[in-house]
Amino acid sequence: MVSAADTHEVFNQSPPFAGFNLFSSDPTLGALVEGLPQPVVDQLTEHGAQWGTPETFELGRIANDQPPVLRNFDGNGVRIDALEFHPAYHALMRRSVASGLQCSIWDASGDEANARAVTRAARLYMTAEVDAGHLNAMTMTNASVAALAHASDLADTWLPRIRTRRYDSSPRPLSAKANALIGLGFAEKQGGSDLGANTTAAVESGGRFWTITGHKWFMSAPMSDAFLVLAQAEDGLSCFLVPRMLPDGNRNAIRLVRLKDKLGNRSNATAEAEFDGAAGWLVGEAGGGIPTIIDMVTLTRLDCAVASAGLMRVALAEATHHLRYRKAFGAALIDQPLMTRVVADMALDAVAAALGRVRSISAWRMQVTTRPDGVTVINDAYNANPESMRAALAALAAMGRPDRRTHAVLGPMAELGPASEEEHRELGKTVAALGIGRLVVVGPVATAIADGAIAAGFDVSSVTAVDDVGAAVKSLDADLRPDDVVLVKASRSADLQRVAEALLLDMPRLGAPGGASR
């Protein structure tokens, strides 16, 4: 008797797609990080090896095949609003947190201190090839730091937990957590991108807390330890940090209604939620919700672009893998002229996406270098618009601390048209709101930045207006101290990258912490 399993032989199929190094097998990615310190390249090679194993790809498959489940109540009828994930999801999260995808650009330590943004982008790109869903929590947490920079006391409390590399999924108050992740709740049923249409209300309830009542149609990463939430206060739309668990150990008044049934990104949970008098802390100024979150939104969009490029890369690699083994009409598909053209088009698109996304944060774009005396120079002089200026300033503010002064060297934002002066003044207000230590403006157009900062209460003695690059460098040289952080940003036409280059040209040799220059 013949077994059903023996009725035929399976042939002309490709072997399993896994078991390779995602970094060393990707020449485009290798070219993009060329010039990074060798220890960083070694770390990226190790990351590519770990995430390219058959076991890791299987974790990604299972995490998407077994999506999270919402349990509103326990067996005794007590409301718990718990999310149950397959262990494969937690394994992916554990690895990504350990590699710092949620925090590494905010951690100026280790070999990658001088190339944090590019290094993290390379890791994100490779990780997305295995599973993009769990990266939602990484992206939201990483980007939230830019918003928390508008509330220094909250940043001081939450950043130490965000920066840790030990995954902790337990629903406990922050003080009992090894690690913290932050999600988002912006959109509502009546308005998605039109956030001004939000109806969720916030009322100051005394002390530090505000009371939040309303709903969210999409709440990203609902298993997080806190959420950045937009709500209407008396002064207008405002941003709040709403913890999942209150400091006393009780659950906050956040009810998860249901999870979205999604076509993709299935390993990650996205919830509909109701806030029934939930407690939250104000982030930034009341009525300033959009300016507070816009810095964060920039970072999330950048991550989306990088992860999408990673997905394009793995699609190309998987297609090419199959075409090398599958045969038709006497030849491998990869050698069939029409198929060769299709794959070539895919390759061009994938390479262009990688070049466009990863290089967007290199070459005068948030290029971070730490001098031997500990002074960190952020060269972001490639381009400038109001949104990117605010994002860069938020990053600068997040890097500051009581013993580490922050200096913003800002030039003009070109091509703003009739609104130019007002936009520059508004940027000055942002400088004041973020608590930047010193402001140096270069060129006559940029003086409006200084005017806006002073009008917003910025210390006039901490403002310097100069005409050119040489004067800016001279002013900084006279004032910089070890461990200070300097941001240089303007439109490319202002040529302010020369300020950063001059600060690094003749570096002091004091041997302070911060890593070697590159």
Side-chain angles (χ1 to χ4, degrees), residues 127-147:
T127 305
E129 297 182 44
V130 176
D131 173 61
H134 81 286
L135 291 177
N136 179 271
M138 302 294 101
T139 287
M140 299 304 164
T141 302
N142 174 71
S144 70
V145 178

Side-chain angles (χ1 to χ4, degrees), residues 239-313:
C239 182
F240 298 89
L241 182 67
V242 181
R244 182 179 174 193
M245 303 294 293
L246 296 171
D248 62 9
N250 290 315
R251 289 178 57 247
N252 205 350
I254 305 172
R255 291 200 295 262
L256 300 184
V257 179
R258 62 178 177 176
L259 300 185
K260 299 292 189 181
D261 185 10
K262 299 177 288 185
L263 292 175
N265 191 29
R266 292 179 61 81
S267 63
N268 171 55
T270 304
E272 297 172 25
E274 293 177 346
F275 296 77
D276 187 12
W281 296 284
L282 179 66
V283 181
E285 296 181 359
I290 299 300
T292 298
I293 68 164
I294 202 67
D295 309 321
M296 181 211 69
V297 169
T298 300
L299 294 176
T300 63
R301 296 299 178 261
L302 183 58
D303 270 16
C304 288
V306 171
S308 296
L311 290 171
M312 293 174 68
R313 157 65 187 174

